[in-house]
Amino acid sequence: MTIYAGIKYAMLESDPRRILAAFIRAHRECLPPPSKAQGRRRTPGLRREELAEAAGVSVTWITWLEQGRDVAASAAALTRLAEALRLAPAERASLFDLAGKRDPAAPAEAQADLLPELLTLPALFAGPAYLLDRTWTARAWNTGAAKLFTGWLDEATKERNLLQFVFLCPSAKLLIADWPERARRLVAEFRADYSRRPQDAAMQTLIDDLLTGSPLFAQHWREQAVLNREGGERRFNHPAHGEQCFLQTTLLVALQPECKLVCLAPVEK
């Protein structure tokens, strides 16, 4: 089926079974063929039969999963599938989330209600700091963040969603020094969050808007990459202050894992 960004693809993505099907298929096709494989192969990666053998499950089970059918999947079977697909921790978490099962190796669930006192946290930091909610919309930020993120957190801007800023605001490409790589990673990091709540209406609306408005977001979204949010060096080309460099740390509150407190510590040149 041909995929048109923002139309058929976005509609299908509200169904966790179809997301799971695309996820498994994409990661299966990324794996190298087994060493004993012979002859020409018409499709990339592992065949379904080879994945089934590696995971200790039936070919029918794998086939039905990749067709988006309502298939029973035990935690044990998903564990073997994750190992056979060689999934990284963030990818493994998405597999279990999409299958509606709890990973036996995952930490205990935390409560989901937003705590109002979190909104005061950015002001406690000397460097730029901001708080993102589950849709990656900034809910609170300090003065340093407002000065750094022109076009997003400054007073002249009303759109506070980080993904909307990065993919739909032209000034983001100028502000963020390594914009192409940062944009690619943000999509993969956001997919990890989305996989935990694929039927969340607000998140689905955001994705639909981005699929329609940004061909690059649509391209990265179809890649099915999943990454945990990481810290590290972040470089900016500020329109007023020139080159700036920070070390980013993202903090999660134990009882509010859907919210992220992002802190930037200046790096002296």
Side-chain angles (χ1 to χ4, degrees):
M1 180 185 67
T2 302
I3 296 175
Y4 296 94
I7 305 177
K8 292 185 179 180
Y9 186 77
M11 292 170 61
L12 293 177
E13 282 256 316
S14 64
D15 184 346
R17 289 177 297 178
R18 291 187 177 275
I19 306 173
L20 177 62
F23 180 89
I24 294 173
R25 185 166 55 252
H27 285 276
R28 173 174 62 80
E29 292 175 352
C30 287
L31 291 175
S35 57
K36 62 182 180 181
Q38 298 179 350
R40 297 183 60 183
R41 304 171 72 90
R42 292 181 298 174
T43 58
L46 288 184
R47 296 190 174 110
R48 287 174 177 169
E49 297 83 359
E50 294 164 342
L51 177 59
E53 180 180 358
V57 297
S58 71
V59 178
T60 300
W61 189 76
I62 292 291
T63 301
W64 286 3
L65 277 178
E66 290 194 358
Q67 290 175 346
R69 298 196 190 187
D70 188 7
V71 181
S74 67
L78 290 170
T79 296
R80 296 196 302 273
L81 180 59
E83 293 171 352
L85 288 171
R86 306 178 192 178
L87 300 182
E91 296 167 338
R92 175 184 171 118
S94 283
L95 176 70
F96 277 86
D97 288 334
L98 292 170
K101 298 292 183 180
R102 184 179 181 279
D103 185 351
E109 287 287 331
Q111 70 180 52
D113 294 336
L114 178 63
L115 299 173
E117 53 265 33
L118 290 178
L119 301 177
T120 65
L121 291 179
L124 301 178
F125 291 84
Y130 55 90
L131 181 72
L132 298 178
D133 64 14
R134 75 184 193 285
T135 65
W136 289 27
T137 297
R139 297 288 299 276
W141 55 92
N142 62 11
T143 302
K147 291 180 179 179
L148 174 62
F149 290 101
T150 57
W152 179 37
L153 299 180
D154 55 319
E155 293 183 356
T157 308
K158 294 183 179 180
E159 177 53 65
R160 303 302 185 190
N161 184 270
L162 176 58
L163 292 169
Q164 294 271 12
F165 167 64
V166 170
F167 285 96
L168 301 182
C169 181
S171 65
K173 297 181 180 181
L174 303 176
L175 177 65
I176 302 172
D178 52 347
W179 180 83
E181 175 61 16
R182 297 310 318 157
R184 181 191 67 82
R185 284 195 61 91
L186 281 176
V187 176
E189 292 167 355
F190 184 72
R191 182 174 279 280
D193 285 2
Y194 174 72
S195 294
R196 299 185 184 98
R197 46 181 71 85
Q199 293 179 309
D200 184 297
M203 297 182 85
Q204 187 62 53
T205 297
L206 171 63
I207 293 168
D208 288 347
D209 290 345
L210 289 165
L211 288 172
T212 302
S214 172
L216 182 62
F217 177 88
Q219 173 188 326
H220 290 326
W221 191 251
R222 288 193 292 267
E223 291 170 357
Q224 295 279 344
V226 184
L227 292 171
N228 283 322
R229 192 168 175 84
E230 297 180 353
E233 186 176 276
R234 299 291 186 269
R235 294 181 294 109
F236 300 90
N237 295 315
H238 196 275
H241 305 294
E243 293 184 12
Q244 293 183 291
C245 185
F246 299 85
L247 285 179
Q248 177 178 294
T249 301
T250 300
L251 305 176
L252 301 181
V253 181
L255 295 178
Q256 300 287 181
E258 75 279 7
C259 293
K260 298 171 175 59
L261 179 63
V262 182
C263 308
L264 298 166
V267 175
E268 298 296 334
K269 296 182 180 180

